[in-house]
């Protein structure tokens, strides 16, 4: 009896139908979507909606739509009168079978023509409406998920320049431009457009009207400067490669000039232009000389005419004389302005010069101690003096030049080195401790002889290396007196060594390091980049070297830690250097 009851129970259970399957992740989902307007939050009722560019469904009175799509699927909805949106269905329906709310941006449109500046239509122009990235953000649905919308719309103008763009979002800001094709620049509307829902606005695209600059070129006392060359250019001219944004005219006899049809830049509140005036040959013939003068000009949009005055400083020169060590005039010596190297001259037979025209103020004038045509191949040194433009004459005294001579020998064999040797000469300073105005100079010597002339008095360091850079010599404290040539110097070329650098484990947080080896006077010897701050090996010349390590915490950053030390390098030897932990603020 018990077995019969059990069998009946089993049969009943097998015959009972299974309950409906609940929605699982990735399975079929019975989802309800409610479409609402993004601006008014009103349901999009009784509207035709195309799903995934395929089936067309219709919402009910409450804007409810029930697409037959799997859960988690990507959906593209194109509702009439609204911008198409893309989103992904939730993997599980909301509790209580509540609808998923999707807010659609309402649609609008623009229409118009693309014309030349004189009104002739441009056929076949590509017209684009693009949303402003700083304004528009992708909308989100009720559950905070992003709903992607289109950001640009493009069409082509017909033979009469007419175009039409529908399906644009309402209530957001976008900009419009047209590409006429060929080498012609794009036509952009300077001001953005914001459309209302359902609006169809007429927008005419044409090159913006130019503006005119009228003005005068005058000197400090408001006298007109005749026939000056006036140039105007926009700071956008190079970026947009628009030759119309750069124009040059010549002022008339009364100093008046007029620049017409200057275009504005795009998408700016006010455009910045630069007006530059320079003297022409006619200006100089009229007795006016002035340095090139620039002035900024800010032009608000929709301005037709701008008045400008370019004020220049005429007749300001620095005059003087260049004298040698025994107060003899030095003829044919180059003279130039320190801050304006393009303002240069040469001294006359009596050593006098007149440098300019220059702007008002104090200028540093430099003179080359040896004219190029009388000191071929010899490095020249400089002397300087300061003077006021238009002030009293100045005197530049050039000290007597000196030099040194010697030979290159092999440190092991003691024989002359006939191969070419390369050297760098650096100035250490004057005997009294002051600096020498001499940049490091490079030389090459062969046949074992060394000869350098044309040096101002001071202390020098010469670093010589062979062609491979692995062997060399350092000769420090070469003292040059005025007019003296030091002879009998010996540069003993010997093999260099290496510095083996190891980093403390606390440097692991830094990304990269630069290891720089130089002489105590600062002459560069070698440089190595270290990507992993564990160990590194760098070549150096034999002798006393200065090692500097610069570790960077970020590859492209400037924040880092610096460590330096002096090292004595033996010939063909290796010196181990351990970099201690960084300072606490960089750990």
């Amino acid at each position: 009896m018990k077995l019969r009851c059990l069998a009946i129970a089993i049969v009943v259970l097998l015959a009972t139908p299974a309950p409906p399957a609940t929605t699982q992740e990735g399975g079929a989902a019975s989802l309800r979507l409610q479409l609402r307007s993004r601006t008014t939050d009103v349901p999009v009722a009784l509207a035709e909606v195309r799903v995934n560019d395929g089936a067309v469904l219709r919402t009910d009175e409450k804007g409810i739509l029930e697409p037959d799509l799997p859960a988690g699927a990507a959906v593209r909805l194109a509702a009439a009168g609204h911008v198409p949106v893309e989103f992904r269905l939730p993997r599980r329906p909301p509790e209580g079978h509540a609808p998923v709310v999707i807010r659609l941006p309402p649609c609008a449109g623009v229409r118009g023509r693309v014309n030349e500046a004189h009104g002739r239509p441009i056929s076949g122009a590509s017209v684009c409406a693009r949303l402003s990235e700083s304004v528009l953000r992708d909308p989100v649905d009720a559950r905070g998920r992003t709903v992607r919308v289109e950001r640009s719309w493009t069409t082509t103008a017909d033979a009469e320049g007419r175009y039409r763009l529908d399906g644009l979002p309402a209530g957001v800001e976008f900009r419009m431009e047209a590409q006429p094709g060929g080498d012609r620049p794009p036509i952009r509307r300077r001001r953005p457009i914001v459309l209302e829902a359902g609006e169809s606005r007429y927008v005419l695209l044409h090159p913006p009207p130019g503006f005119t600059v009228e003005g005068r070129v005058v000197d400090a006392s408001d006298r007109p400067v005749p026939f000056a060359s006036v140039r105007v250019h926009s700071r956008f001219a190079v970026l947009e490669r628009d030759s119309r944004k750069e124009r040059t005219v010549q002022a008339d006899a009364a100093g008046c000039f007029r620049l017409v049809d200057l275009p504005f830049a795009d998408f700016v509140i006010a455009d910045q232009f630069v007006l530059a005036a320079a003297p022409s040959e006619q200006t100089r013939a009229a007795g006016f000389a002035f340095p090139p003068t620039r002035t900024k000009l800010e032009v608000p949009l929709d301005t037709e005419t701008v008045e400008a005055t370019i004020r220049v400083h005429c007749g300001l020169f620095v005059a003087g004389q260049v004298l040698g060590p025994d107060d003899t005039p030095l003829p044919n010596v180059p003279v130039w302005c320190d801050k304006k190297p393009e303002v240069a001259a040469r001294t006359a037979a009596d050593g006098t010069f007149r440098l300019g025209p220059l702007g008002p103020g104090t200028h540093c004038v430099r003179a080359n101690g040896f004219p190029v045509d009388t000191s071929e191949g010899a490095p020249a040194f400089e002397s300087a003096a300061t003077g006021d433009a238009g002030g009293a004459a100045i005197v530049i005294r050039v000290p007597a030049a000196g030099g040194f001579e010697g030979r290159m020998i092999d440190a092991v064999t003691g024989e002359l080195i006939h191969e070419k040797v390369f050297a760098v000469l650096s100035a250490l300073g004057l005997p009294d401790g002051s600096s020498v105005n001499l940049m490091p100079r490079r030389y090459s010597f062969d046949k074992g002889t060394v000869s350098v002339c044309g040096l101002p008095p001071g202390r020098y360091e010469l670093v010589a290396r062979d062609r491979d850079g692995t062997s060399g010599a350092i000769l420090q404290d070469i003292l040059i007196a005025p007019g003296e040539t030091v002879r009998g110097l010996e540069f003993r070329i010997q093999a260099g060594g290496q510095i083996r650098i190891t980093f403390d484990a606390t440097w692991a947080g830094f990304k990269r390091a630069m290891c720089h080896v130089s002489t105590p006077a600062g002459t560069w010897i070698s440089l190595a980049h270290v990507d992993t701050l564990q160990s590194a090996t760098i070549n150096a010349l034999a002798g006393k070297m200065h090692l500097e390590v610069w570790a960077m915490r970020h590859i492209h950053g400037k924040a880092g830690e610096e460590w330096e030390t002096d090292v004595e390098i033996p010939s063909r030897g290796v010196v181990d250097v351990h970099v201690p932990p960084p300072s606490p603020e960089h750990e």
Side-chain angles (χ1 to χ4, degrees):
M1 186 65 182
K2 292 182 179 180
L3 293 175
R4 181 179 298 176
C5 292
L6 180 60
I8 293 173
I10 293 174
V11 172
V12 171
L13 289 175
L14 293 175
T16 303
T22 59
T23 303
Q24 301 294 330
E25 186 172 343
S30 177
L31 294 176
R32 301 170 65 228
L33 306 179
Q34 186 181 37
L35 308 185
R36 289 180 172 271
S37 175
R38 181 184 173 189
T39 55
T40 62
D41 203 32
V42 175
V44 182
L46 303 177
E48 292 185 353
V49 180
R50 185 176 296 275
V51 181
N52 289 345
D53 298 327
V56 177
L57 304 179
R58 180 179 291 272
T59 59
D60 60 12
E61 293 82 356
K62 297 182 179 180
I64 301 297
L65 185 71
E66 296 187 11
D68 186 13
L69 294 172
V75 181
R76 185 179 191 274
L77 297 180
H82 294 80
V83 178
V85 297
E86 296 179 5
F87 63 98
R88 186 173 294 276
L89 294 174
R91 297 190 177 275
R92 294 180 182 275
E95 297 182 1
H97 203 52
V100 177
V101 178
I102 302 296
R103 290 178 170 81
L104 304 178
C107 248
V110 292
R111 56 189 177 85
R113 293 183 64 180
V114 183
N115 290 345
E116 297 279 6
H118 47 70
R120 186 172 60 184
I122 301 176
S123 62
S126 177
V127 181
C128 178
R130 184 176 292 107
L131 293 172
S132 301
E133 295 183 0
S134 60
V135 175
L136 178 72
R137 295 181 179 178
D138 289 330
V140 295
D141 58 18
R143 302 185 65 178
R145 289 184 294 266
T146 300
V147 179
R148 294 188 299 273
V149 300
E150 296 183 19
R151 289 187 175 274
S152 63
W153 295 259
T154 305
T155 187
T156 303
D158 59 16
E160 297 182 0
R162 290 191 293 262
Y163 71 90
R164 185 181 186 89
L165 281 171
D166 294 321
L168 302 181
V172 293
E173 183 180 281
F174 63 92
R175 300 182 180 277
M176 298 193 63
E177 69 174 34
Q179 295 285 349
D183 296 334
R184 290 179 292 182
I187 301 172
R188 298 187 178 99
R189 180 181 171 87
R190 296 197 300 271
R191 292 183 175 84
I193 295 176
V194 179
L195 300 174
E196 297 181 358
E199 180 184 4
S200 179
R201 184 178 301 183
Y202 187 87
V203 178
L204 180 63
L205 296 176
H206 59 86
F211 65 96
T212 300
V213 178
E214 296 179 348
R216 299 175 65 208
V217 182
V218 298
D219 62 6
S221 58
D222 287 336
R223 292 186 307 166
V225 177
F227 310 117
S229 176
V230 180
R231 182 171 64 94
V232 61
H233 66 89
S234 169
R235 60 191 178 100
F236 294 97
V238 178
L239 297 178
E240 299 190 6
R241 300 183 181 276
D242 188 354
S243 60
R244 296 192 310 141
K245 293 180 182 288
E246 183 171 340
R247 202 77 51 79
T248 301
V249 296
Q250 188 175 34
D252 58 17
C256 298
F257 64 90
R258 190 169 188 265
L259 293 153
V260 299
D261 193 24
L262 297 174
F264 287 98
D266 303 304
F267 304 159
V268 291
I269 298 176
D271 201 358
Q272 292 182 1
F273 288 82
V274 177
L275 279 174
S280 63
E281 294 298 332
Q282 292 175 284
T283 306
R284 297 185 182 95
F288 292 87
F290 61 90
T293 305
R294 295 159 54 96
T295 182
K296 292 183 179 180
L297 180 67
E298 188 167 294
V299 183
L301 294 180
D302 299 331
T303 301
E304 295 183 359
T305 303
V306 178
E307 295 185 359
T309 300
I310 305 177
R311 197 173 302 277
V312 300
H313 297 275
C314 297
L316 296 182
F317 290 81
V318 174
Q321 188 179 28
V322 179
L323 301 179
D326 53 355
D327 286 345
T328 58
L330 295 181
N332 200 26
V333 170
V335 181
W336 67 93
C337 182
D338 192 10
K339 294 183 179 180
K340 291 183 175 294
E342 68 276 6
V343 181
R346 282 183 175 269
T347 57
D350 57 353
T352 60
F353 65 89
R354 188 168 181 262
L355 194 64
L358 294 168
T362 301
H363 300 271
C364 180
V365 180
R366 298 190 180 276
N368 197 327
F370 289 88
V372 177
D373 55 353
T374 60
S375 182
E376 183 177 357
F381 63 95
E382 303 168 8
S383 295
T386 58
D388 295 332
I394 61 175
V395 175
I396 303 177
R397 298 185 182 275
V398 178
F404 59 88
E405 296 176 356
R407 59 179 187 159
M408 297 284 181
I409 62 174
D410 191 303
V412 178
T413 64
E415 298 179 353
L416 286 176
I417 296 179
H418 296 279
E419 291 80 9
K420 182 170 289 189
V421 176
F422 302 91
V424 177
L425 180 69
S426 301
L428 303 181
L430 295 173
D432 60 0
S434 59
S435 62
V436 178
N437 186 22
L438 180 71
M439 297 294 292
R441 297 179 182 270
R442 300 183 182 274
Y443 301 89
S444 62
F445 307 108
D446 55 8
K447 300 180 180 180
T449 60
V450 177
S451 178
V452 176
C453 60
L455 298 177
R459 295 168 47 246
Y460 294 90
E461 173 190 76
L462 187 72
V463 178
R465 285 187 285 189
D466 61 4
R467 186 179 298 274
D468 296 332
T470 57
S471 301
I474 303 174
L475 192 60
Q476 297 178 347
D477 282 345
I478 305 175
L479 181 61
I480 305 296
E484 178 190 11
T485 299
V486 180
R487 294 178 173 86
L489 299 177
E490 286 190 354
F491 299 88
R492 305 178 66 86
I493 303 297
Q494 59 181 337
Q498 291 182 329
I499 303 176
R500 190 161 49 205
I501 305 170
T502 57
F503 292 86
D504 190 85
T506 54
W507 290 92
F510 290 78
K511 299 297 183 182
R512 178 180 293 179
M514 290 189 299
C515 302
H516 176 236
V517 177
S518 61
T519 66
T523 303
W524 178 86
I525 299 297
S526 57
L527 177 69
H529 294 273
V530 183
D531 292 329
T532 58
L533 273 66
Q534 296 178 355
S535 62
T537 301
I538 185 171
N539 297 325
L541 296 181
K544 189 175 182 180
M545 294 286 121
H546 183 75
L547 173 64
E548 183 178 355
V549 178
W550 172 256
M552 294 170 285
R553 187 171 294 277
H554 305 287
I555 294 179
H556 301 291
K558 295 183 179 180
E561 174 80 354
E562 185 177 4
W563 181 83
E564 56 186 348
T565 185
D566 291 330
V567 185
E568 188 72 30
I569 309 296
S571 178
R572 303 183 187 276
V574 179
V575 177
D576 292 317
V577 175
H578 181 73
V579 182
S583 57
E585 61 267 19
H586 291 89
E587 291 182 352

